[in-house]
Amino acid sequence: MVADMLNTLSLSDTFSNGTEHKPSNDSNPRDVIVQKPPSDDAEYRVLTLKNGLRCLLISDENITKSETSAFRAHKEITSTEKAAACLSVQVGSSQNPKEIPGLAHFLEHMLFMGCRKYPNENEYDEYLDKYGGTSNAHTDFEVTSYTFDVSADHLEGALDRFAHQFIEPLLKKSSMGREAKAVDSEYMMGLQSDADRLQAICVSLLQDDHPYNIFDGGNKQSLMETPRKKHNLDTHAELRKFYNTYYSANIMCLCVEGPIPLDELEKMIQVFEEVPNKHMAVPKLDKYPLPQPRCNFIK
């Protein structure tokens, strides 16, 4: 639910029109009305932080409780209520450099390999695992999303670790080899997926200069070998360049949901004001996926 609502917000006209979003003088604008069905007892709050990062907070006392034995097995957990968060960045594989296919996906993997405040590569995952949580991420064509859930009692600690990965990630060169192998494993698994095969067939039919005609996910060869041997590029330097260019607070959206009052949730997310605002406009494609007036996108 959290990820679905956030992606809707990040792509909506209300939250993104291709220009930088200007926060109002009131850091907690109460004039934004979230439409919901009468049966929805949750409370919502939409606000924009000082750095331009847009947020949706959801307080739901009836949030689904975890019934998994793995969740109940953690002695540190004092509550079975879960909380969750998702942060989306309005940049994806469409902005991959032609010389390094899959770089956006690679950054998605590398971002959570430690940060300045929490330098241990496994700190984030270990914290979530300790308190019955999980994490995931997904790189799409125009949006990259990061999600997690955790025991509601430990949401604040999880949010602090989550935020600092966007504030000052280490992106250590020593982590690249392992994460490139992880990306390569996903690529190999995709070779056996009918859905991925169908997508590859569709891409093969596109014009060579069509924006969707790319190798979006990448593999070890496209990330670590070809850039150096064929283009004399340092993938680590290009990775930092991609982060420094596109990961800007003003093209990010955050959604947090839990059985916690809205005022408390708002206090918890103040750490996200430290995410740098680079005043980045939402990247636009050179041409629309379906050129008008003729849809001559097939070879």
Side-chain angles (χ1 to χ4, degrees):
M1 174 183 176
V2 173
D4 291 341
M5 292 190 70
L6 182 59
N7 285 333
T8 300
L9 284 176
S10 65
L11 296 176
S12 69
D13 291 338
T14 303
F15 278 76
S16 173
N17 57 9
T19 60
E20 181 184 353
H21 182 80
K22 301 291 186 181
S24 66
N25 293 329
D26 181 2
S27 62
N28 185 17
R30 302 289 192 258
D31 57 336
V32 177
I33 299 175
V34 177
Q35 293 183 347
K36 63 177 185 177
S39 59
D40 186 356
D41 295 326
E43 296 180 336
Y44 298 82
R45 180 173 295 171
V46 176
L47 64 149
T48 302
L49 301 180
K50 293 178 181 178
N51 58 353
L53 198 154
R54 294 146 290 168
C55 307
L56 170 65
L57 306 180
I58 307 172
S59 176
D60 188 357
E61 294 295 334
N62 300 315
I63 191 169
T64 303
K65 297 183 179 182
S66 172
E67 298 295 335
T68 64
S69 58
F71 185 76
R72 295 194 303 267
H74 290 272
K75 296 181 180 179
E76 297 88 343
I77 298 174
T78 58
S79 168
T80 57
E81 292 177 314
K82 297 291 285 287
C86 177
L87 188 145
S88 283
V89 190
Q90 289 184 263
V91 63
S93 56
S94 62
Q95 297 304 311
N96 282 337
K98 293 182 180 180
E99 300 83 2
I100 314 180
L103 189 65
H105 182 209
F106 192 36
L107 177 59
E108 171 217 303
H109 277 250
M110 288 289 297
L111 199 71
F112 285 79
M113 292 291 102
C115 60
R116 189 68 61 186
K117 184 175 181 179
Y118 302 102
N120 181 0
E121 283 188 3
N122 300 315
E123 170 69 28
Y124 173 68
D125 288 331
E126 287 177 353
Y127 184 89
L128 293 179
D129 183 64
K130 183 178 181 180
Y131 299 115
T134 60
S135 65
N136 207 343
H138 178 70
T139 302
D140 213 328
F141 190 69
E142 297 178 273
V143 177
T144 304
S145 297
Y146 302 83
T147 61
F148 76 82
D149 61 76
V150 72
S151 166
D153 290 341
H154 298 91
L155 175 62
E156 187 170 13
L159 282 172
D160 192 61
R161 287 160 176 79
F162 189 60
H164 278 276
Q165 308 295 339
F166 299 96
I167 294 168
E168 201 170 7
L170 294 179
L171 302 177
K172 294 185 290 186
K173 201 167 187 175
S174 59
S175 303
M176 291 177 59
R178 293 191 299 277
E179 291 309 304
K181 288 182 180 179
V183 171
D184 198 67
S185 295
E186 293 180 8
Y187 165 72
M188 296 302 292
M189 290 176 59
L191 295 179
Q192 308 302 319
S193 166
D194 288 343
D196 287 353
R197 289 175 174 179
L198 179 60
Q199 180 180 350
I201 292 173
C202 292
V203 169
S204 71
L205 297 174
L206 297 174
Q207 296 282 3
D208 292 339
D209 61 346
H210 190 278
Y212 281 118
N213 192 354
I214 61 171
F215 179 28
D216 56 352
N219 58 20
K220 185 178 180 181
Q221 180 178 343
S222 74
L223 293 169
M224 303 296 289
E225 299 172 10
T226 303
R228 174 173 52 84
K229 294 179 180 179
K230 189 174 180 180
H231 303 290
N232 195 29
L233 290 175
D234 180 358
T235 301
H236 184 249
E238 295 299 316
L239 190 74
R240 285 192 169 278
K241 180 180 177 182
F242 193 96
Y243 165 79
N244 289 330
T245 300
Y246 295 113
Y247 273 55
S248 177
N250 71 293
I251 61 169
M252 292 180 177
C253 293
L254 172 69
C255 183
V256 182
E257 179 183 24
I260 300 169
L262 288 175
D263 288 341
E264 291 185 31
L265 289 176
E266 186 171 344
K267 291 178 182 178
M268 290 182 186
I269 66 167
Q270 294 307 304
V271 62
F272 286 89
E273 288 192 339
E274 299 178 40
V275 177
N277 183 357
K278 300 156 188 174
H279 306 280
M280 180 71 192
V282 176
K284 293 294 184 181
L285 300 176
D286 292 335
K287 58 175 150 181
Y288 293 106
L290 300 179
Q292 298 294 331
R294 295 175 56 199
C295 295
N296 56 344
F297 57 97
I298 299 293
K299 288 182 180 177

